């Protein structure tokens, strides 16, 4: 019998932005295969995570995805939905609201973030009491003058790949100390699971470096880019229709529900969506081919492929919940496609 370490991971009930929580369950198994079927539900003290009262504090963890833990021997990362004691989805459980059981919707998320020095509480590359050089030379840079945190970012990429995530890339972003990674998945729930596991690995890695990750969409005020989590999405219709008219109908469907999307795209996003720094103003809605200043960008590759491909919603903030974002996008797009 071998002992294995199962890291049960879930989202707490804090508002306006939920946090990752986790705890380790050690079990003995004869021949563990790393499948969901081998896992059992577990419970936690919801009164300590703003998900229950002290008098009825038990919440239930339901495993929904499992990945090898590359930093542990015989370890696994287990993503969970939070349930009430009666087995119904907890109000903090946005994953349960996703209407994509057949994995028709594919999502690629571009997660931007700042690496912060825990001692100075400033982004890497920012001197105490001042500012580094202006934006321009940091984006996709190379060399010690403009590139900060590469060893950390490379290690995080290796951890994600070793965990089996469909990790697609990394690059330094426009501001000093700002980076991005990309993940893609066929299935909205799978995409959300993988973003949260990648964030977990990112946050856990900071413990070794004396860093922390800032997901706030505008942590540095002034003439500095904010951080987003652009959502690239498609379904069978968008991937195969070959119709500009259908793409226009899908884009227009977002216009009357602009507020509903912004409301769940991340807290403090008004500080980022100003109409500057490659964003559309939070009060506006627009779309355009290759337009990174629009709410929704129609990629040139989609057009060049004969209107077969995907769309990019550029509004989600870096601190947004991918489950909520995917759920809301599907809620907007699916009726249009179902009624064609």
């Amino acid at each position: 019998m071998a002992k294995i370490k199962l890291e049960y991971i879930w989202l707490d009930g804090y508002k306006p932005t939920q946090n990752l929580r986790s705890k380790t369950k050690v079990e003995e198994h004869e021949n563990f295969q790393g499948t969901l079927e081998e896992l059992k539900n577990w419970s936690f003290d919801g009164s300590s995570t703003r998900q229950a009262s002290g008098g009825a504090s038990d919440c239930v963890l339901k495993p929904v995805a499992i990945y090898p833990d590359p930093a542990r021997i015989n370890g696994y990362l287990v993503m969970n939905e939070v349930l009430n004691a009666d087995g119904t989805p907890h109000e903090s459980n946005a994953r349960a609201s996703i209407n994509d059981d057949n994995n028709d919707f594919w999502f690629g998320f571009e997660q931007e973030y700042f690496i912060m020095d825990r001692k100075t509480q400033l982004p890497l590359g920012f001197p105490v009491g001042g500012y580094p050089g202006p934006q321009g030379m940091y984006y996709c840079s190379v060399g010690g003058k403009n590139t900060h945190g590469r060893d950390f970012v490379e290690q995080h990429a290796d951890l994600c790949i070793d965990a089996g995530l469909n990790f697609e890339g990394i690059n330094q972003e426009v501001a000093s100390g700002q980076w991005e990674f990309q993940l893609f998945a066929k299935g909205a729930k799978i995409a959300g699971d993988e973003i949260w596991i990648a964030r977990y690995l990112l946050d856990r890695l900071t413990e070794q470096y004396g860093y922390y990750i800032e997901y706030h969409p505008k942590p540095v005020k002034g003439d500095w880019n904010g951080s987003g989590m652009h959502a690239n999405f498609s379904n069978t219709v968008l991937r195969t229709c070959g119709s500009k008219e259908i793409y226009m109908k899908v884009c227009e469907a977002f216009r009357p529900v602009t507020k509903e999307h912004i409301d769940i795209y991340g807290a403090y996003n008004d500080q980022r969506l100003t109409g500057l720094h490659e964003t559309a103003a939070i009060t506006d809605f627009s779309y355009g081919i290759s337009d990174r200043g629009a709410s929704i960008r129609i990629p040139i590759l989609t057009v060049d492929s004969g209107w077969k491909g995907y769309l990019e919603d550029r509004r989600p903030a870096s601190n947004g919940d991918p489950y909520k974002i995917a759920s809301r996008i599907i809620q907007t797009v699916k009726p249009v496609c179902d009624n064609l």
Side-chain angles (χ1 to χ4, degrees):
M1 297 286 283
K3 288 197 173 185
I4 61 169
K5 300 172 185 174
L6 302 170
E7 193 69 18
Y8 275 59
I9 302 165
W10 73 97
L11 301 178
D12 67 18
Y14 276 64
K15 297 178 180 180
T17 304
Q18 292 173 269
N19 305 282
L20 283 166
R21 305 288 181 129
S22 73
K23 60 176 183 172
T24 306
K25 187 177 189 181
V26 178
E27 293 183 346
E28 282 192 336
H29 285 262
E30 183 69 40
N31 185 27
F32 190 70
Q33 299 297 306
T35 65
L36 284 176
E37 291 72 24
E38 297 169 280
L39 303 178
K40 298 178 181 179
N41 289 0
W42 203 12
S43 64
F44 69 95
D45 173 15
S47 68
S48 295
T49 59
R50 297 187 182 176
Q51 288 167 298
S53 64
S57 62
D58 281 347
C59 291
V60 177
L61 295 173
K62 175 190 173 183
V64 293
I66 183 171
Y67 307 89
D69 187 339
R72 278 177 157 175
I73 298 172
N74 293 331
Y76 294 86
L77 305 168
V78 182
M79 193 67 206
N80 295 266
E81 288 189 13
V82 177
L83 308 179
N84 297 308
D86 63 2
T88 58
H90 190 274
E91 64 177 359
S92 64
N93 178 356
R95 188 182 190 276
S97 72
I98 296 175
N99 181 17
D100 186 40
D101 289 339
N102 62 354
N103 292 337
D104 183 48
F105 278 82
W106 299 356
F107 279 86
F109 286 108
E110 303 172 27
Q111 175 70 70
E112 297 176 341
Y113 61 93
F114 277 84
I115 306 173
M116 309 294 286
D117 186 296
R118 199 158 62 223
K119 291 182 179 178
T120 65
Q121 298 190 31
L122 295 171
L124 299 190
F126 275 66
V128 176
Y131 293 92
Q135 294 188 159
M137 292 301 296
Y138 304 110
Y139 176 70
C140 294
S141 65
V142 62
K145 182 178 180 180
N146 296 312
T147 308
H148 309 284
R150 189 182 297 278
D151 287 349
F152 170 81
V153 169
E154 292 283 353
Q155 189 173 349
H156 173 248
D158 288 341
L159 289 171
C160 288
I161 292 168
D162 290 347
L165 305 184
N166 194 23
F167 196 86
E168 292 207 318
I170 53 176
N171 59 269
Q172 185 163 281
E173 265 301 333
V174 178
S176 178
Q178 184 187 37
W179 287 81
E180 175 188 297
F181 65 83
Q182 304 94 32
L183 284 168
F184 168 77
K186 296 180 179 180
K189 291 181 179 179
I190 299 170
D193 295 339
E194 295 208 359
I195 281 289
W196 280 115
I197 292 295
R199 285 179 175 178
Y200 175 84
L201 290 170
L202 189 69
D203 289 336
R204 193 173 71 177
L205 185 60
T206 64
E207 298 169 9
Q208 301 177 28
Y209 281 79
Y211 299 158
Y212 65 93
I213 300 302
E214 182 57 80
Y215 295 103
H216 191 289
K218 190 71 173 181
V220 184
K221 308 305 184 261
D223 191 20
W224 298 93
N225 271 37
S227 295
M229 188 172 63
H230 304 151
N232 301 280
F233 63 92
S234 70
N235 62 356
T236 298
V237 170
L238 292 174
R239 291 190 292 271
T240 62
C241 69
S243 168
K244 179 180 179 180
E245 180 183 359
I246 290 175
Y247 267 82
M248 296 302 103
K249 285 183 179 180
V250 170
C251 288
E252 279 295 333
F254 283 80
R255 190 183 301 279
V257 289
T258 296
K259 183 179 185 302
E260 288 83 347
H261 281 258
I262 292 298
D263 284 348
I264 58 88
Y265 275 8
Y268 316 112
N269 209 12
D270 58 312
Q271 298 177 27
R272 166 180 163 263
L273 297 180
T274 61
L276 303 173
H277 302 109
E278 299 179 283
T279 71
I282 197 169
T283 53
D284 298 337
F285 175 78
S286 60
Y287 55 90
I289 297 171
S290 278
D291 188 353
R292 282 178 164 76
S295 307
I296 292 180
R297 178 178 69 95
I298 304 170
I300 190 63
L301 291 179
T302 292
V303 178
D304 288 348
S305 298
W307 294 93
K308 296 177 182 179
Y310 66 98
L311 292 168
E312 178 193 40
D313 193 332
R314 295 182 57 80
R315 296 170 296 172
S318 48
N319 60 356
D321 179 352
Y323 295 141
K324 293 178 182 177
I325 294 165
S327 179
R328 182 62 249 190
I329 288 174
I330 292 169
Q331 190 178 338
T332 298
V333 174
K334 199 171 188 300
V336 179
C337 296
D338 288 346
N339 291 323
L340 290 174

